[in-house]
Amino acid sequence: ANYALKEWLRVGVLYEWHEHTINFNGPKFGNLTINTFLTTVEFRVPRAKLDPHGLTWLTPYASVGFGANVHGFKEHQQAGGNTGSFPTTFAFRMATGIDIPLTEQLGINTEIAWNRDSGTYQFNGVDASFNASTPNILGGIRLRY
C-alpha cells in the first residue's frame, strides 16, 4: 500500500512472505518461513518527463524499503531431533519496475527486486550464519483509488 505525496514520490508499507526448504547435502532439515514487514519509499518519473518522448503507456519507478524479517522454523522429521532457531533480522529491499496503465485506476505492474535477509541462527546451541536473501521477479495488477 502506497500513498502519493507528490507525483514522483510515494511512501508506504509492504508485506512479503517466503518459504524456503533447507537441506544439508542429504536429508531435509526443515522449512524456514519468512514474513517481511517494510516501510517503503517509491520514486517515479513524472509524466511531464515521459510524455515528450512518447512514453505515455508506461511509468518506470524505483523503490527502497527498510524493516524486519520475522522467521518461523519448522523442523522436518528427517532432521532427527536437532533444534534450530532463527532470530528476527534487519530487512532491506531494492526494486525497480514499470507500470503499464490500462485505465485511470487499473494497470499492469512488473518488478525486479532484491530482499536482504542474513544473520546468525542457532543449531543445537551453536551459532552459524545464514543467508536467505532473495532476488524476485514479480508481476501483478496495480490499483489506484
Side-chain angles (χ1 to χ4, degrees):
N2 284 331
Y3 179 77
L5 296 175
K6 303 214 178 246
E7 179 188 6
W8 58 271
L9 179 63
R10 296 176 184 198
V11 294
V13 294
L14 178 67
Y15 167 76
E16 288 190 356
W17 171 83
H18 299 270
E19 185 164 321
H20 303 275
T21 299
I22 302 172
N23 296 319
F24 289 129
N25 296 324
K28 187 175 178 183
F29 177 59
N31 290 338
L32 180 64
T33 302
I34 304 165
N35 294 284
T36 302
F37 303 91
L38 299 158
T39 56
T40 62
V41 179
E42 185 175 283
F43 304 95
R44 298 178 151 263
V45 178
R47 294 265 33 113
K49 300 281 186 193
L50 296 171
D51 292 346
H53 300 287
L55 299 174
T56 57
W57 55 275
L58 62 84
T59 305
Y61 67 90
S63 70
V64 295
F66 302 92
N69 297 302
V70 179
H71 300 99
F73 180 71
K74 183 174 181 189
E75 182 180 290
H76 194 271
Q77 61 193 46
Q78 294 176 352
N82 296 313
T83 59
S85 174
F86 291 80
T88 298
T89 60
F90 171 73
F92 174 72
R93 182 179 193 272
M94 297 184 309
T96 187
I98 296 173
D99 284 343
I100 303 168
L102 301 174
T103 68
E104 185 72 25
Q105 285 79 30
L106 186 66
I108 295 172
N109 173 257
T110 62
E111 182 175 281
I112 297 172
W114 177 75
N115 296 5
R116 180 197 180 277
D117 182 7
S118 61
T120 303
Y121 73 100
Q122 281 200 340
F123 178 64
N124 285 340
V126 177
D127 287 344
S129 296
F130 75 94
N131 186 350
S133 300
T134 57
N136 304 298
I137 298 173
L138 307 166
I141 296 174
R142 187 170 288 241
L143 178 63
R144 284 181 40 168
Y145 55 93

